[in-house]
Amino acid sequence: MAQPLLRAIDVHKRFGATEVLKGIDLEVQQGEVVAIIGASGSGKTTFLRCINLLEEFHQGEIQVDGERIGYTEGTHRRLGETAISAQRAKIGMVFQSYNLFPHMTAEQNVTLGLIKVQKRPKAEAVETARRWLDRVGLSERRGHYPYQLSGGQQQRVAIARAVAMEPKLVLFDEVTSALDPELVAEVLAVMQDLAKSGMTMLVVSHEMLFVREVATRVVFMEGGRIAEQGPPDALLVNPKSERLATFLGRFHGVFR
Amino acid sequence: MFEPGSFLYEAWAARYGLLAGLATTARLSGITIVIGSLIGILGGVALSYGPWPVRLLLRGYVDAVRGIPVLVLILFSYYGLALLGIQISPFTAGVVALGGFCGAHMSETVRGAIESIPIGQTEAGKAIGLTFWQRLRYVLLPQAIRRLLPPWVNTAVEMVKGTTLLSIIGVVELLLATQQTIARNYLVLQFYFAAGMLYVLVNFAISQLGALIERRTAHFRY
Ligand SMILES: Nc1ncnc2c1ncn2[C@@H]1O[C@H](COP(=O)(O)OP(=O)(O)OP(=O)(O)O)[C@@H](O)[C@H]1O
Ligand SMILES: [Mg+2]
């Protein structure tokens, strides 16, 4: 098999004395869409944040495209600000709370990274931003400020902001859970479109129907560990472990 | 009405002295506010993100200076520094004292404004690969400026009023120039009133400047 795009080896993370990640091992191949599910507090967000270096971890290793992330080779010493920023630029992240820059228009939100991080000429950045805003269905709204957009629209801008950088891997952390129910579908549709285009995605989600339809693999986290993983149909319909069965039971037997 | 002894006559006679005083007040205020704002931006950023020894040092400076009456700072920087062998003109002493005072207040203001911005903004900036200084410049400070503006105007106005204290160490700013004029013509009420109006005018200009910047940045909401 080809070298995995993401490889996490025995990742441990503590907050003070509590260990929140207790040894995560995960490999994601180019083009895979991996969904992470699990109960609240099982460490899903923390794991994503470790990959994007928003959180430090204490033991283990994470590689993206063969490159060790966040720490020097051999020792576990944190890299400098410049190196870390450069690594983050290759990984996209979409947050639950959108986190758009309120003082910039939709288009400026997307071009900021293209211009300042990737040093692309302004005209080219604007062109790229417009193409992506078009792709997420917001070509009419590119001059709007975040406060002039609905939650679903804001989240689609945030997705455009992340993917316009052409990251190797995009992380989605419950990107629809802050949205009103009627706005969830438009965001999921955008994500499905991206998944189809071959983007490598790691998606934390409670939208089980979406997970089942779009994910190529499902990972179930439990108490800071990966408890079970496999193809969505097998895992969601015939869970092996009691715990996963209980967890899925909360979704009103959607799969049976 | 234009006889000697009338206000208009005496004001005209004293015009050069008074205008020079006004100019000194304006210059002092301007320099102080600029220095204070620069200290404030650097100090506020360092208070928010600096390594702990720097933060500790700055915290000491900010809390000390904010707790000391401005007049004491002025007397110290004029007489105190002279005793330590550092000879500076009253004007320079005034700039040091008022600039240091202004900087302490502005540092605290800038720190508060930066820290009031939700952490998600910093994280979104990190996620697209912006470095620390880029996040500050393109994400945090442009948002901080809106929250900064009202307290900035307040401090600036305080600084203009604070320049009057420099008359005590002999800086001939507007107040001392007015007093010198009154010593010649005894029109106490009229000239103090006129000086007061000039201060109001200067401060009005400052709050207008603040309002202008506020309008310039009013195109977004949080
Ligand atoms: N900054 C923090 N400081 C201390 N503890 C934290 C912090 N962030 C998370 N935790 C703890 O780490 C554990 C895992 O949290 P995490 O947010 O990763 O869970 P999650 O699986 O994303 O849950 P949810 O489904 O509710 O989003 C929780 O017990 C949480 O309380
Ligand atoms: Mg979470």
Side-chain angles (χ1 to χ4, degrees), chain B residues 48-67:
Chain B
S48 302
Y49 301 108
W52 71 263
V54 173
R55 287 208 308 270
L56 197 72
L57 225 71
L58 274 173
R59 184 47 51 210
Y61 155 68
V62 168
D63 287 350
V65 168
R66 292 201 310 161

Side-chain angles (χ1 to χ4, degrees), chain A residues 49 81 100 103 116 145, chain B residues 121 123 132 134 138 219:
Chain A
R49 290 168 60 84
E81 162 80 10
L100 289 183
H103 57 301
K116 300 303 172 194
Y145 287 90
Chain B
Q121 290 294 307
E123 295 190 340
F132 174 76
Q134 289 176 323
Y138 302 112
H219 59 276

Side-chain angles (χ1 to χ4, degrees), chain A residues 49 52 54 81-82 85-86 88-89 91-93 95 99-104 112-113 116-117 119 145 147 161 165, chain B residues 119-135 137-140 142-143 218-222:
Chain A
R49 290 168 60 84
N52 208 19
L54 291 177
E81 162 80 10
T82 320
S85 296
R88 282 187 187 125
I91 305 167
M93 179 141 187
F95 300 88
N99 297 348
L100 289 183
F101 306 127
H103 57 301
M104 296 181 187
L112 182 66
K116 300 303 172 194
V117 178
K119 314 282 181 209
Y145 287 90
Y147 77 89
R161 175 174 70 181
M165 307 271 296
Chain B
I119 184 75
Q121 290 294 307
T122 294
E123 295 190 340
K126 285 181 174 176
I128 56 173
L130 295 175
T131 61
F132 174 76
W133 293 107
Q134 289 176 323
R135 294 197 297 272
R137 163 127 185 248
Y138 302 112
V139 177
L140 297 177
Q143 296 185 57
H219 59 276
F220 73 89
R221 280 184 225 149
Y222 295 99

